[in-house]
């Protein structure tokens, strides 16, 4: 069992948890992810590593409630435990192995959308710890969905916050901020965009035009996370890649985003039914004839 | 005394009934049936059957004890050579192994060695015959990577010799293909597999799940920081292949590994488990091995009309004869000498069909099997809403790519000495599918055994 030491509500339906997992904490690096399983009946849920403390033996995850499993996770409190917690999975961010002096010469721009802010944080923090200040854009639909702003402020060079509806700071999509920064004369050697697939797609369309190499972190449906099932396959530069072992980070200018978005829909109806079953609990009445609730 | 008569038939669930449930197809022998079948054995002086068994179980000796109704003794004889008899009795390709060599098979039907082995193993389980841990400890530690048949066997043997053994397993449950691949209706998970895993634990073996060697911890860390004196790699051959044909990325196309893992390991077929599975109304399974049969029979049980598409003829089907027979009985449609050329996709990215071409057999290829050649102009379409690719698997490079000094061949199989499992790295041994590529349970066990002996020799120096 993997004990939850802290469980905190960051924003509407977005939770942060510190989990005791010494082996993962000792060997993980920015860009990698874990798979958690709540209990015997649970599914294997991939989540990016948001922070880690090798000495304390803890790993931090941040997740948004979108369906049955993530809602079920939100019910867990400090003191509860996950039955399974495995990792680190996937490859660390590539730039970690770059020569640090070379890296220092590069201007880096991070674009974080929604809960994507969580996986961006350890990367910016790592750079900060190595004496590199990166620019960071955080975008969300609305003010209440902005997370980790203070934490990010402490480690970023410049931080730009934007909301789609203008309820907080800048108004507009993250792409509009990228455009404004570049128009204002900023130059970037590398962009790292993490967030909803649609956001990564449009960011990549823009950075391609602007000539900024861009890394994205893909989140296809996964089962094992070790290369055994192929559920997570994507097309990158015309080749089939397994996101769990070859990624999850890829050259965003080569990823087939439209295909990735379609593949994310794979279990939509099943998942929708499962969520309904969970939310309605024992009061579920069946009647739709679809979910087996009337059997 | 040997009795001349036909093989005692084994009771099975009715095909119509079993096509709708996940309970075991084969019900096995009861005591009377087992004794009657055992009486057919000639107790040969030079038993050919034994040479057909990769772990050389003393077949005539255990069958003799079945005749005598001393089932406990029979179990002990089997245990001298095999630690997973309830599994092997169910899934070994007996017709090409032990039974394929049985003298009675020349003129009639061979002794049902597999069914007898299964009977004895089940009897031992039901009568709580337990393994005995080693009395004297060697004070040395061995790490075993992977809890499939190779790892379990190697670990069990080493523990019996007195080593402290710890298995590291990447998934959340021990058993390897026995839990995630082979379905419940052929190999019951709680009753048989979990019990065999428990037996290995009773010998003193520790199992730590959720550890991916190469990611969570490396082999060098196990040897240099965690104090292990030797390592056995039994990580299997889990990497699925795809065909590379158009449409393969569509929604509704799965590897057999994904489909089977969702169903077996994650229990997606049960309403009370969270993992979803796509059942499909009409499913095509591409391939002809045991894995293809398992995927097809699982899809059938989930409610789909199921079609197997295989590019060679019936004679070349690599699956066990019994599995093909069961699949046919259950109503699976076989499209033999047929090869997919494209998966047809609708506007929303979902599978709507599969285009196939007819094949004919040409000259034998390197494998000795006649090479299938496409018949020009013979293309046709089958309307399906799911396609399951079952084209074989290869070893995962996770371990080899993170272990300095561990040599692999061009198929990414770990290079290891057949006789003792030694790899090119000192203190590191390997066996099973990770070395041979996808093979069989009993061969993996045999390799685990040989490596246990090899490790003992290395650590006794
Ligand atoms: C490498 C990786 C890193 C991720 N990191 C984070 C993170 O840090 N924070 C976060 O909130 N989410 C993250 N996700 C997404 C997260 O795994 C899904 O939101 C979660 O599995 C949804 O489960 P559910 O049962 O609550 O929702 P469901 O109702 O089952 O599904 C809702 C949607 O979530 C996605 N999803 C469902 N099952 C899976 C699965 N097994 N694997 C991947 N996606 C799935 C699908 O797009 C689906 O349509 C990550 C995914 C991947 C692959
Ligand atoms: C669907 C299916 C049906 C089959 N039917 C039959 C049959 O009827 N008869 C028969 O004889 N054979 C059959 N086989 C083949 C047989 O199951 C395999 O040959 C056998 O399981 C190989 O055993 P193994 O111990 O080498 O590997 P596996 O059983 O594959 O076990 C390897 C284990 O290692 C773990 N692992 C992998 N990498 C790591 C890592 N880096 N760190 C930690 N753990 C790791 C895996 O998770 C797995 O649990 C079938 C296979 C499949 C897939
Ligand atoms: S282990 Fe397999 S090959 Fe050996 S006797 Fe048993 S069924 Fe036959
Ligand atoms: S070859 Fe057949 S008859 Fe002879 S000992 Fe073996 S099982 Fe018995
Ligand atoms: S999640 Fe199974 S191969 Fe990537
Ligand atoms: Mg879900």
């Amino acid at each position: 069992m993997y004990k939850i030491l802290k469980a905190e509500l960051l924003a509407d339906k977005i939770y942060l948890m510190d989990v005791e997992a010494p082996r993962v904490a000792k060997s993980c690096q920015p860009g990698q992810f874990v798979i958690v399983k709540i209990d015997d009946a649970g599914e294997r849920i991939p989540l990016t590593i948001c922070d880690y403390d090798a000495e304390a033996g803890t790993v931090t995850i941040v997740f948004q409630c979108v369906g049955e499993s993530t809602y079920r996770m939100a019910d867990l409190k400090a003191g509860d435990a996950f039955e399974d917690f495995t990792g680190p999975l996937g490859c660390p961010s590539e730039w970690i192995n770059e020569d640090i002096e070379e890296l220092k010469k590069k201007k880096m721009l991070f674009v974080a959308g929604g809960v994507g802010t969580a996986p961006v944080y350890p990367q910016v923090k790592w750079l900060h710890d190595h004496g590199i200040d990166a620019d960071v854009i955080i975008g969300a639909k609305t003010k209440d969905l902005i997370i980790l702003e203070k934490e990010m402020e402490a480690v970023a060079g410049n931080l730009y916050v934007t909301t789609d509806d203008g309820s907080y700071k800048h108004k507009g999509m993250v792409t509009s901020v990228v455009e404004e920064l570049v128009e204002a004369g900023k130059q970037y050697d590398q962009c790292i965009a993490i967030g909803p697939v649609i956001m990564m797609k449009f960011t990549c369309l823009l950075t391609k035009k602007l000539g900024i190499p861009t890394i994205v972190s893909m989140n296809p449906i996964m089962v094992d996370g070790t290369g055994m099932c192929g559920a997570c396959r994507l097309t990158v530069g015309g080749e089939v890649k397994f996101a769990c072992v070859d990624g999850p980070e890829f050259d965003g200018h080569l990823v087939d985003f439209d295909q990735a978005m379609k593949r994310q829909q794979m279990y939509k109806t099943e998942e929708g039914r499962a969520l309904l079953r969970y939310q309605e609990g024992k009061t579920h009445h069946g009647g739709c004839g679809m979910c087996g609730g009337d059997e | 005394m040997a009795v001349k008569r036909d093989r005692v038939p084994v009771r099975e669930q009715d095909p119509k009934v079993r096509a709708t449930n996940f309970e075991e197809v084969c019900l096995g022998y009861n005591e009377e049936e087992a004794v009657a079948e055992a009486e057919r054995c000639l107790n040969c002086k030079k038993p050919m059957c034994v040479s057909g068994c990769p772990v050389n179980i003393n077949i005539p000796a255990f069958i003799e004890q079945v005749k005598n109704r001393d089932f406990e003794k029979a179990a002990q004889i089997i245990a001298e050579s095999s630690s997973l008899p309830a599994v092997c009795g169910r899934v070994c390709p007996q017709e090409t192994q032990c039974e394929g060599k049985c003298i009675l098979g020349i003129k009639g039907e061979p002794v049902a060695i597999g069914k007898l082995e299964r009977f004895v193993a089940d009897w031992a389980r039901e009568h709580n015959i337990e393994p005995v841990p080693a009395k004297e400890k060697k004070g040395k530690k061995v790490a075993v990577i992977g809890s499939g048949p190779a790892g379990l066997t190697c670990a069990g043997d080493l523990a019996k010799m007195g080593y402290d053994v710890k298995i590291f397993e990447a998934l959340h449950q021990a058993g390897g293909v026995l839990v995630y691949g082979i379905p419940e209706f052929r190999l019951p998970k709680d009753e048989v597999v979990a019990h065999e895993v428990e037996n290995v634990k009773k010998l003193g073996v520790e199992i730590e799940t959720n550890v991916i060697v190469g990611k969570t911890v490396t082999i060098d860390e196990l040897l240099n920081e965690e104090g292990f004196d030797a390592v056995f790699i039994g990580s299997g051959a889990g990497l699925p292949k795809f065909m590379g044909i158009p449409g393969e990325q569509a929604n509704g196309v799965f590897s057999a590994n994904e489909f089977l893992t969702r169903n077996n390991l994650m229990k997606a077929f049960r309403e009370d488990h969270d993992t979803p599975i796509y059942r499909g109304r009409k499913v095509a399974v591409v391939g002809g091995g045991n894995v293809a049969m398992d995927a097809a029979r699982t899809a059938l049980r989930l409610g789909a009309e199921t079609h197997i598409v295989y590019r060679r003829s019936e004679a070349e089907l690599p699956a066990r004869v019994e599995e093909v027979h069961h699949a046919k009985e259950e109503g699976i449609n076989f499209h033999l000498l047929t090869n997919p050329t494209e998966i047809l996709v609708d506007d929303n990215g979902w599978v709507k069909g599969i285009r196939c071409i007819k094949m004919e057999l040409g000259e034998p290829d390197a494998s000795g099997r006649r090479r299938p050649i496409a018949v020009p102009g013979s293309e046709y379409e089958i309307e399906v809403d799911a396609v399951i690719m079952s084209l074989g698997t290869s070893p995962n490079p996770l371990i080899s790519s993170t272990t300095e000094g561990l040599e692999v061949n061009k198929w990414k199989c770990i290079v290891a000495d057949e006789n003792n499992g030694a790899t090119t790295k000192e203190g590191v041994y390997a066996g099973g599918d990770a070395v041979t590529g996808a093979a069989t349970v009993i061969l993996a066990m045999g390799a685990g055994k040989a490596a246990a002996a090899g490790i003992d020799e290395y650590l006794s120096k």
Side-chain angles (χ1 to χ4, degrees):
Chain A
M1 297 297 262
Y2 302 80
K3 205 162 155 195
I4 299 167
L5 301 180
K6 181 166 108 182
E8 192 184 318
L9 182 70
L10 288 185
D12 185 30
K13 292 185 186 155
I14 301 179
Y15 293 82
L16 176 148
M17 286 180 180
D18 285 344
V19 184
E20 205 172 52
R23 278 196 188 273
V24 183
K26 185 165 166 256
S27 44
C28 64
Q29 289 181 298
Q32 294 186 292
F33 66 97
V34 292
I35 283 187
V36 313
K37 192 168 143 287
I38 301 171
D39 52 25
D40 183 49
E43 58 181 334
R44 292 172 66 93
I45 310 162
L47 296 167
T48 314
I49 292 166
C50 171
D51 204 355
Y52 51 92
D53 183 335
E55 254 159 55
T58 57
V59 174
T60 306
I61 50 174
V62 171
F63 62 91
Q64 183 169 27
C65 296
V66 294
E68 184 189 25
S69 296
T70 40
Y71 272 101
R72 222 144 79 69
M73 274 173 69
D75 287 346
L76 300 175
K77 311 256 167 322
D80 292 340
F82 288 104
E83 189 166 284
D84 299 288
F85 192 99
T86 187
L89 295 157
C91 305
S93 302
E94 220 166 80
W95 46 262
I96 281 181
N97 298 316
E98 264 182 59
D99 182 70
I100 195 78
E101 294 310 316
E102 285 299 308
L103 206 55
K104 277 183 179 162
K105 291 184 203 145
K106 279 193 182 168
K107 274 309 282 175
M108 310 255 267
L109 172 66
F110 285 85
V111 180
V115 275
T117 310
V120 163
Y121 174 70
Q123 305 203 10
V124 178
K125 183 178 161 199
W126 189 96
L127 289 169
H128 178 77
D129 291 347
H130 289 78
I132 302 166
D133 287 329
D135 283 2
V136 179
I137 302 170
I138 297 181
K141 278 210 181 73
T142 183
K143 182 179 180 210
D144 295 342
L145 294 175
I146 297 285
I147 55 167
L148 301 172
E149 185 185 357
K150 266 211 312 280
E151 289 82 351
M152 197 70 89
E153 195 140 41
V155 291
N158 300 297
L159 177 65
Y160 309 91
V161 179
T162 184
T163 48
D164 295 0
D165 63 0
S167 54
Y168 186 58
K169 299 210 169 162
H170 188 279
K171 177 179 162 95
M173 308 272 186
V174 286
T175 40
S176 65
V177 182
V178 178
E179 269 178 318
E180 282 168 32
L181 289 173
V182 171
E183 268 164 31
K186 289 245 186 189
Q187 285 185 342
Y188 294 104
D189 304 300
Q190 179 75 57
C191 171
I192 290 128
I194 307 182
V197 180
I198 188 87
M199 175 221 108
M200 295 192 283
K201 173 182 165 172
F202 283 104
T203 303
C204 285
L205 286 173
L206 175 66
T207 56
K208 191 157 189 191
K209 221 168 53 194
L210 298 171
I212 310 171
T214 302
I215 299 284
V216 294
S217 180
M218 298 302 289
N219 51 6
I221 292 175
M222 294 188 173
V223 185
D224 60 301
T226 67
M228 185 265 275
C229 77
C232 63
R233 62 195 193 279
L234 301 164
T235 304
V236 183
E239 276 181 57
V240 177
K241 298 280 179 191
F242 287 5
C244 69
V245 285
D246 301 323
E249 297 189 349
F250 292 101
D251 179 342
H253 294 159
L254 298 178
V255 171
D256 185 339
F257 288 107
D258 293 338
Q259 183 186 77
M261 280 187 279
K262 278 187 187 150
R263 286 188 60 79
Q264 279 192 327
Q265 306 297 311
M266 183 61 229
Y267 294 99
K268 263 266 141 30
T269 36
E270 266 246 359
E271 286 157 348
R273 277 181 222 146
L275 180 59
L276 266 182
R277 250 197 323 269
Y278 178 68
Q279 288 178 331
E280 296 184 356
K282 290 207 172 63
T283 67
H284 185 65
H285 45 74
C288 63
M290 294 293 283
C291 63
D294 6 37
E295 276 161 25
Chain B
M1 221 33 261
V3 183
K4 251 192 143 160
R5 61 172 137 70
D6 286 347
R7 194 175 188 163
V8 177
V10 69
R11 287 164 295 119
E12 289 174 349
Q13 260 199 84
D14 181 76
K16 283 215 186 59
V17 177
R18 72 183 192 235
T20 63
N21 69 41
F22 279 93
E23 274 137 52
E24 201 173 7
V25 168
C26 174
L27 303 172
Y29 286 149
N30 61 25
E31 279 190 30
E32 294 318 311
E33 290 162 338
V35 172
E37 179 62 15
E39 280 168 353
R40 294 179 64 227
C41 173
L42 304 176
N43 202 351
C44 304
K45 282 257 150 47
K46 278 191 189 153
M48 296 304 291
C49 53
V50 177
S51 66
C53 169
V55 295
N56 303 126
I57 291 180
N58 192 341
I59 296 167
F62 99 74
I63 293 184
E64 187 67 22
Q65 294 310 324
V66 176
K67 278 186 217 170
N68 297 341
R69 291 181 185 264
D70 190 345
F71 306 127
E72 186 167 352
K73 191 80 192 294
Q76 281 163 4
I77 293 167
I78 296 174
E80 284 164 18
S81 319
S82 168
S83 49
L84 303 172
V87 175
C88 293
R90 286 173 166 84
V91 306
C92 266
Q94 288 112 10
E95 68 270 14
T96 56
Q97 295 179 328
C98 52
E99 295 177 19
K101 293 268 171 72
C102 170
I103 196 88
L104 289 186
I106 295 174
K107 279 202 184 131
E109 285 182 295
V111 175
I113 302 169
K115 300 282 184 286
L116 288 174
E117 182 176 336
R118 168 189 163 157
F119 166 78
V120 171
D122 287 353
W123 187 93
R125 181 180 64 248
E126 282 151 19
H127 292 78
N128 300 316
I129 307 295
E130 291 197 356
V132 195
K135 288 201 185 67
E136 273 174 45
K137 288 284 191 183
K138 301 243 190 200
K140 285 190 174 150
K141 281 169 65 175
V142 183
V144 169
I145 304 168
S147 59
L152 289 173
T153 304
C154 185
D157 275 19
L158 287 166
K160 281 187 220 157
M161 296 175 203
Y163 291 98
D164 293 314
V165 187
K166 187 162 187 179
I167 298 181
F168 295 97
E169 168 56 49
L171 293 171
H172 57 268
Q173 204 180 326
V177 170
L178 308 183
V179 288
Y180 78 71
I182 304 180
E184 186 77 22
F185 56 82
R186 276 216 288 142
L187 189 61
K189 303 294 158 244
D190 292 343
E191 207 183 315
V192 178
V193 183
H195 184 267
E196 304 271 22
V197 171
E198 274 315 303
N199 274 350
V200 173
K201 282 194 195 162
K202 280 183 188 141
L203 291 168
V205 173
E206 240 188 285
I207 302 182
E208 188 175 343
T209 51
N210 297 323
V211 177
I212 303 138
V213 176
K215 289 284 179 189
T216 317
V217 66
T218 62
I219 287 186
D220 287 308
E221 283 165 352
L222 291 174
L223 288 169
N224 304 329
E225 291 169 27
E226 298 202 16
F228 288 98
D229 300 291
V231 174
F232 172 76
I233 308 171
S235 53
L239 212 67
K241 289 188 188 126
F242 287 90
M243 289 187 85
I245 56 174
E248 221 167 7
Q249 303 298 91
N251 285 350
V253 183
F254 312 94
S255 74
N257 267 6
E258 176 183 355
F259 190 71
L260 290 169
T261 299
R262 285 182 182 277
N263 201 66
N264 301 338
L265 178 69
M266 306 311 297
K267 304 225 179 325
F269 70 95
R270 282 172 48 175
E271 273 294 317
D272 57 352
H273 280 58
D274 296 347
T275 303
I277 195 161
Y278 179 67
R279 291 168 184 252
R281 289 197 182 85
K282 225 175 141 179
V283 177
V285 177
V286 182
N290 284 322
V291 186
M293 298 305 138
D294 284 345
R297 297 171 69 198
T298 298
L300 179 94
R301 282 162 171 74
L302 291 171
E305 176 189 315
T306 307
H307 299 261
I308 284 195
V309 176
Y310 177 59
R311 65 200 180 115
R312 300 181 200 247
S313 73
E314 170 133 16
E316 286 86 8
L317 278 170
R320 295 177 58 206
V321 172
E322 184 177 331
E323 304 311 327
V324 176
H325 170 70
H326 281 156
K328 285 187 173 164
E329 274 187 343
E330 288 165 11
I332 295 197
N333 306 288
F334 283 74
H335 300 247
L336 299 167
L337 288 166
T338 303
N339 206 26
T341 54
E342 183 182 352
I343 291 164
L344 308 166
V345 188
D346 73 12
D347 294 340
N348 298 317
W350 286 81
V351 172
K352 64 173 183 187
I354 182 164
R355 179 172 294 139
C356 299
I357 191 160
K358 288 274 181 200
M359 309 294 279
E360 58 190 15
L361 293 179
E363 295 297 308
D365 63 12
S367 72
R369 295 181 300 179
R370 292 172 66 196
R371 188 195 299 273
I373 312 167
V375 179
S378 66
E379 283 186 316
Y380 69 105
E381 287 168 13
I382 314 175
E383 189 198 314
V384 292
D385 55 6
V387 176
I388 300 172
M389 290 295 179
S390 176
L391 310 154
T393 52
S394 59
N396 192 322
L398 243 174
I399 292 179
S400 51
S401 66
T402 53
T403 312
E404 197 113 10
L406 190 68
E407 204 179 296
V408 292
N409 66 20
K410 65 176 170 181
W411 297 282
K412 298 276 188 297
C413 297
I414 297 170
V415 175
D417 187 328
E418 215 180 294
N419 299 313
N420 60 12
T423 67
T424 51
K425 190 176 170 78
E426 192 184 335
V428 179
Y429 292 72
D433 283 5
V435 169
T436 56
T440 62
V441 171
I442 191 69
L443 284 172
M445 280 182 50
K449 251 187 141 38
I455 290 172
D456 179 44
E457 197 187 323
Y458 168 70
L459 293 179
S460 306
K461 265 186 215 157

